[in-house]
Amino acid sequence: MPTPLVDIRHDLHQHPELGYEEHRTSEVVQRELAEAGVAFKSGLAGGTGVLAHVPGGDAPPLALRADMDALPIQEQTGLPYASATEGRMHACGHDGHTTILIGVARELAERSKTGSLPGDVTLIFQPAEEGGAGGKRMVEEGCLDGSVLGPPVTRIFGLHGWPSLPLGTLASRPGPILACADGFEARITGKGGHAAMPHLCVDPVAAAAAVIQSAQHVVSRGVDPVQGGVLSITRIEGGTTHNIIPNSVFLQGTTRFLEEEAGVVLHERFDRVLHEVAAAHGCEASIDWKDGYPVTRNDADAFREWDDAVSARFGRESVQTMAPVMGGEDFSYYGQAIPACFFTIGLLPEGQDFMPSLHHPNFDFNDDAISVGINAFLAVAAP
Ligand code: NI
């Protein structure tokens, strides 16, 4: 008898591993694939990535993807299967995603044996979605182009559990669905000295305040309101005590956008505000941009295929159009390589109007959503 999927999910939840450290998780995936009789290649993307292949008929081959990594959070759920590792937690539900794709592998293997699987299916178990760009490495190592295992795939589908969406409901949209999330670190440098003699100093604290104030106009006056965007300064550090004007002030923040055009405006305008407002106050500024994941963009045809397939399986009333979200996803790298569709599945239990959000220490994936995820993937891969 195969291990019940709920037990696999709880086991993964109890043993969370950070990006590129998913060795135990990867072993569970490989054990389950072997047991289901599914061919796979392990050791990808730094060691923990797994690519599986299920042979089917003549229909164009497609890929399905799950992420396996956890987060550096101390779990507070008090669940019997809560994290057994200090400071590590499956707070984004990737334990659920991995379990869902294991369940899909079992079903597809059965369909393959009976000759009723329409086309080849590639299953991607990737490491390091949370900031490590494991998806990018899986693409670069040839997981989509047939050089690792199975044929080249023509399109890819991925999912994420969604705490604000009712259980049994699915949601997605064509076009941009998740944002590009860049970060920056900046420094404004003046000339420190005695706080009683500001005229002999160049005060970087006053300059930083002016920069932060002016930065509020970058989105509201610079970005097409229909495209939208976010510029948040989230950290400011400078000075040591009450009677010293410091030499410099450190700023950190993030920009988020759904259209590359808005991203260009955000970067250019903030660069200018930083340098020129600082200069107006006699200071110098420097900035270091850290590129985040690209915009996750759903291909129109892949979205329509998903929308038709899940509507047929779950009923039209269970499928919603969602607004774009300003979070980021490394599923975007697959979408840059081939047509892709990313969607969300509801986790909110019936009768509840709230559950802890993703990345919260009280979050837990809803076990009842495992079958929803499996059926959503099967709707496109094995209708
Ligand atoms: Ni996630």
Side-chain angles (χ1 to χ4, degrees), residues 26-27 29-31 33-34 37-54 68 121-127 138 141-144 146-150:
S26 182
E27 274 166 27
V29 167
Q30 293 170 53
R31 180 195 75 206
L33 291 171
V38 173
F40 65 87
K41 186 102 196 269
S42 61
L44 299 163
T48 55
V50 181
L51 193 75
H53 171 247
V54 187
M68 303 188 290
V121 181
T122 290
L123 304 172
I124 298 174
F125 296 90
Q126 72 152 80
M138 294 296 274
E141 289 182 21
C143 291
L144 301 177
S147 55
V148 177
L149 184 67

Side-chain angles (χ1 to χ4, degrees), residues 107-126:
E107 297 285 336
L108 293 179
E110 288 306 312
R111 294 282 301 265
S112 182
K113 275 178 213 155
T114 60
S116 63
L117 184 60
D120 285 35
V121 181
T122 290
L123 304 172
I124 298 174
F125 296 90
Q126 72 152 80

Side-chain angles (χ1 to χ4, degrees), residues 65 67 69 71 91-94 97 129-130 159-162 328-329 342 358-359:
R65 169 273 204 172
D67 41 14
D69 57 325
L71 285 158
C92 202
H94 299 183
H97 305 166
E129 191 287 317
E130 301 286 358
L159 63 73
H160 209 294
W162 217 245
E329 243 290 342
F342 192 72
L358 300 173
H359 295 205

Side-chain angles (χ1 to χ4, degrees), residues 8-216:
I8 293 176
R9 213 281 290 176
H10 293 182
D11 175 60
L12 293 177
H13 190 90
Q14 201 166 8
H15 301 95
E17 296 169 302
L18 295 183
Y20 297 121
E21 295 172 4
E22 308 94 335
H23 297 285
R24 186 183 182 279
T25 308
S26 182
E27 274 166 27
V28 169
V29 167
Q30 293 170 53
R31 180 195 75 206
E32 291 302 322
L33 291 171
E35 216 159 278
V38 173
F40 65 87
K41 186 102 196 269
S42 61
L44 299 163
T48 55
V50 181
L51 193 75
H53 171 247
V54 187
D58 295 336
L62 60 81
L64 307 173
R65 169 273 204 172
D67 41 14
M68 303 188 290
D69 57 325
L71 285 158
I73 295 178
Q74 182 62 41
E75 181 160 352
Q76 288 172 13
T77 62
L79 290 163
Y81 54 88
S83 171
T85 310
E86 184 84 9
R88 303 279 182 271
M89 179 190 174
H90 266 298
C92 202
H94 299 183
D95 50 338
H97 305 166
T98 302
T99 304
I100 285 168
L101 206 55
I102 289 171
V104 169
R106 288 178 178 176
E107 297 285 336
L108 293 179
E110 288 306 312
R111 294 282 301 265
S112 182
K113 275 178 213 155
T114 60
S116 63
L117 184 60
D120 285 35
V121 181
T122 290
L123 304 172
I124 298 174
F125 296 90
Q126 72 152 80
E129 191 287 317
E130 301 286 358
K136 184 169 186 259
R137 290 182 70 167
M138 294 296 274
V139 173
E140 285 168 355
E141 289 182 21
C143 291
L144 301 177
D145 64 18
S147 55
V148 177
L149 184 67
V153 292
T154 58
R155 60 220 190 279
I156 183 167
F157 300 87
L159 63 73
H160 209 294
W162 217 245
S164 58
L165 196 65
L167 180 71
T169 304
L170 304 99
S172 186
R173 74 192 311 280
I177 182 166
L178 290 158
C180 174
D182 284 338
F184 60 82
E185 293 182 0
R187 187 166 288 280
I188 297 169
T189 305
K191 189 174 152 224
H194 203 296
M197 293 162 236
H199 60 297
L200 301 178
C201 305
V202 179
D203 185 358
V205 174
V211 166
I212 293 168
Q213 190 82 325
S214 297
Q216 307 312 312

Side-chain angles (χ1 to χ4, degrees), residues 158-160 162 170-180 257-259 294-299 303 306 320-329 331-332 340-345:
L159 63 73
H160 209 294
W162 217 245
L170 304 99
S172 186
R173 74 192 311 280
I177 182 166
L178 290 158
C180 174
F257 49 90
L258 295 162
E259 301 291 345
V295 175
T296 302
R297 191 177 293 279
N298 282 343
D299 173 77
F303 168 77
W306 171 84
Q320 294 182 6
T321 303
M322 68 185 276
V325 174
M326 282 300 185
E329 243 290 342
F331 187 76
S332 49
C341 178
F342 192 72
F343 60 96
T344 59
I345 61 171

